[in-house]
Amino acid sequence: MIATENMDIKKIAQSKIGQVDFQNIQFGKVYSDHQFMADYVDGQWKNLKIEPYELLQISPASPALHYGISIFEGLKAYKHDNGDVFVFRPDKNIERLNKSAIRMCMPELPENIYFDALNTLLDIDRDWVPEVEGTSLYIRPFVFSNDDYIGIRPSQDFKFMIITCPVGAYYAKPVKVKIENHFVRAVEGGSGFCKTGCNYGPAIYPAKLAQEKGYDQLVWTDGKEHKYIEESGTMNVMFVIDGKLITPALGDTILAGITRDSVLTLARDWGYEVEERKVEVAEVIAAAKEGRLQEAFGAGTAATIAHIEMIGYEGTDYQLPAVEEREFSNKVLKTLDDIKLGKAEDKFNWLHKI
Ligand SMILES: *Cc1c(COP(=O)(O)O)cnc(C)c1O
C-alpha cells in the first residue's frame, strides 16, 4: 500500500513481537509496535504520522477527560492462508465514526485520511495479525478532544488515532445474560447510537452487579418502560423464535452494529424470515417458557456471535436449547468466519485488502 505523501513515519528500533505468546493472547493486553496519529487544528486535519506505540501527552483540562468528548470504532483484520491481510467492512466503520462525530460536535474525518492511516499502519504492523485459529488483529480508531480548555462547549482541537492489538476468541463459552429492568444504557434522544466514550462508563456498574449474581452480561431494555429489548452488553441481540430471526429495529437507542448488518444480510440471502421490529421482553420470556425460543445470541465485532445459554428475568433463569442444536447461529458464525478467512465466497464485497 502507498502511504499518504505527507505522512511522517518513524519506525520502532526493536519490534516487541518476540515477547508475544500468540497461542495465548489476552484481550487488550498487548498492543502492536506502532500507532497512527493526526491532529485537527485551525479547522484542518494535519500532522499525519505513524510512530512507535507510546504514552500520550494531553492537557489536564482536555474535555475528553472531563466530559467524555471522545468517539471510537472497533474492527478486525484477518490473515489468510497465503499471508494476505484483510479488514472486514472498514467502510462501515468510517461511516459510523462520522455519525458519532456529528452527535458529539466533532469534525468528520475524511475517508481518505482514514483509509491511508488504516492501510499504512496495518502494512507496517502486518506481522502482528495473528495466524492462530480464532485470532485476529483488533483495530481501534478513535477521536478525542485535545482542547486545553475546561469549559463546556464544542471543542476545537482533536486528535485522531489508531492503535491495534492481537486478540484471541473473545467469548470462549456461551453466555448467561440477565434482562435488566432498572438501569438503562440509552434513552430516546440520547447518544445510544454513537460509539462515544460517555455511553460506556456508566454501563459498567449495572453489568458488575449482574456479574456478582453469576451472569456474564446484561440485556438492556428501553429507558421508558423496560418493556422492549434493546442490546446485550456491547452487542446487538437476536433471537430465533418459531423459525424466524427477530432483532430490535435500529433507532437512536441502539448501536447500528456492522456484525448485525452482516448477519441480517446473510439471513435474507439464505431466505430466512427476518423481522426487525420492537421486541417485547414478554414475548421472549413466553417463547422461552413454551420451548419456542430456539436460539438467542449477541452479535458484535469482538465475539462475532456470542451464543446465549441462559436468560435471567425477574429472578427466574430460563435455559435455552444446547448450542449444538442451533442451526442458524452456528451457520452464520461459520459463514462469517469463512468469509473473513477467505474460505467462503465474499459475495457482498466485505473484505478490504491491505
Ligand atoms: C460496537 C457495538 C456493537 C457492535 O457493533 P459491531 O459493528 O458489530 O462491532 C453493538 N452494540 C454496542 C453498544 C456497541 O458499542
Side-chain angles (χ1 to χ4, degrees):
M1 274 299 151
I2 300 153
T4 310
E5 283 156 35
N6 56 3
M7 197 186 298
D8 273 340
I9 298 177
K10 190 174 120 211
K11 291 200 188 164
I12 200 164
Q14 168 88 55
S15 174
K16 299 172 295 180
I17 201 163
Q19 302 160 21
V20 183
D21 174 8
F22 281 100
Q23 297 292 339
N24 215 338
I25 313 169
Q26 273 186 293
F27 183 82
K29 286 276 165 78
V30 250
Y31 294 89
S32 315
D33 283 332
H34 298 92
Q35 60 190 18
F36 174 87
M37 301 175 100
D39 294 314
Y40 187 83
V41 273
D42 302 329
Q44 272 186 4
W45 287 104
K46 46 178 90 158
N47 310 333
L48 279 57
K49 63 181 179 195
I50 286 176
E51 57 178 32
Y53 179 91
E54 64 187 8
L55 299 183
L56 296 176
Q57 282 210 316
I58 184 170
S59 158
S62 167
L65 302 177
H66 299 272
Y67 314 124
I69 311 292
S70 69
I71 56 177
F72 65 95
E73 275 301 326
L75 62 166
K76 281 179 170 176
Y78 301 85
K79 193 164 274 176
H80 288 191
D81 284 343
N82 67 359
D84 286 347
V85 170
F86 291 85
V87 183
F88 188 70
R89 306 192 74 181
D91 50 320
K92 302 297 279 183
N93 295 90
I94 179 64
E95 219 178 82
R96 190 169 64 190
L97 185 80
N98 282 335
K99 283 193 186 135
S100 300
I102 291 168
R103 182 66 176 79
M104 297 299 287
C105 297
M106 297 166 88
E108 290 178 61
L109 181 73
E111 267 199 32
N112 65 325
I113 294 183
Y114 166 80
F115 275 106
D116 281 349
L118 190 69
N119 290 332
T120 313
L121 183 68
L122 263 70
D123 189 28
I124 290 176
D125 278 341
R126 67 170 60 237
D127 289 347
W128 285 84
V129 186
E131 290 166 20
V132 180
E133 201 185 329
T135 63
S136 55
L137 187 75
Y138 184 76
I139 304 165
R140 169 56 61 93
F142 56 111
V143 185
F144 59 92
S145 167
N146 202 25
D147 278 12
D148 181 17
Y149 177 71
I150 206 162
I152 299 187
R153 60 153 198 207
S155 293
Q156 290 167 357
D157 295 349
F158 298 88
K159 240 182 219 313
F160 164 54
M161 293 188 62
I162 306 180
I163 54 174
T164 70
C165 57
V167 292
Y170 194 55
Y171 293 108
K173 291 192 307 167
V175 292
K176 299 181 172 68
V177 299
K178 179 191 160 223
I179 298 182
E180 178 58 56
N181 52 12
H182 174 67
F183 295 102
V184 298
R185 188 191 86 88
V187 291
E188 274 174 39
S191 57
F193 65 98
C194 305
K195 271 182 144 43
T196 169
C198 50
N199 285 343
Y200 295 83
I204 295 171
Y205 176 69
K208 177 176 155 249
L209 294 182
Q211 280 154 11
E212 284 166 6
K213 296 227 156 100
Y215 299 97
D216 299 298
Q217 58 178 259
L218 295 178
V219 170
W220 299 104
T221 52
D222 74 277
K224 262 190 205 149
E225 304 172 90
H226 298 294
K227 186 175 169 190
Y228 300 102
I229 286 181
E230 302 220 308
E231 298 202 51
S232 176
T234 53
M235 293 186 287
N236 295 111
V237 67
M238 302 196 180
F239 304 94
V240 178
I241 300 176
D242 297 329
K244 277 185 272 188
L245 180 64
I246 301 171
T247 193
L250 296 177
D252 57 9
T253 61
I254 293 180
L255 200 287
I258 296 160
T259 316
R260 176 187 182 278
D261 181 76
S262 309
V263 169
L264 297 181
T265 302
L266 288 174
R268 290 191 170 111
D269 188 51
W270 293 336
Y272 277 83
E273 218 178 308
V274 175
E275 294 181 357
E276 288 181 76
R277 58 168 171 82
K278 285 190 169 230
V279 181
E280 278 193 37
V281 174
E283 70 174 289
V284 172
I285 296 303
K289 279 185 186 159
E290 293 158 17
R292 294 181 295 110
L293 178 58
Q294 298 157 293
E295 308 184 21
F297 57 93
T301 294
T304 306
I305 299 294
H307 298 289
I308 294 173
E309 65 173 358
M310 190 183 85
I311 300 180
Y313 183 57
E314 292 182 334
T316 306
D317 289 335
Y318 299 89
Q319 200 66 39
L320 272 65
V323 166
E324 309 80 65
E325 290 165 26
R326 303 183 186 191
E327 185 197 305
F328 178 76
S329 43
N330 284 316
K331 178 173 169 182
V332 87
L333 175 58
K334 169 106 177 45
T335 306
L336 284 170
D337 281 348
D338 285 351
I339 293 173
K340 290 166 180 173
L341 295 174
K343 293 178 177 159
E345 189 202 348
D346 180 19
K347 187 170 167 182
F348 303 100
N349 263 318
W350 284 340
L351 297 188
H352 168 84
K353 188 169 183 214
I354 297 299

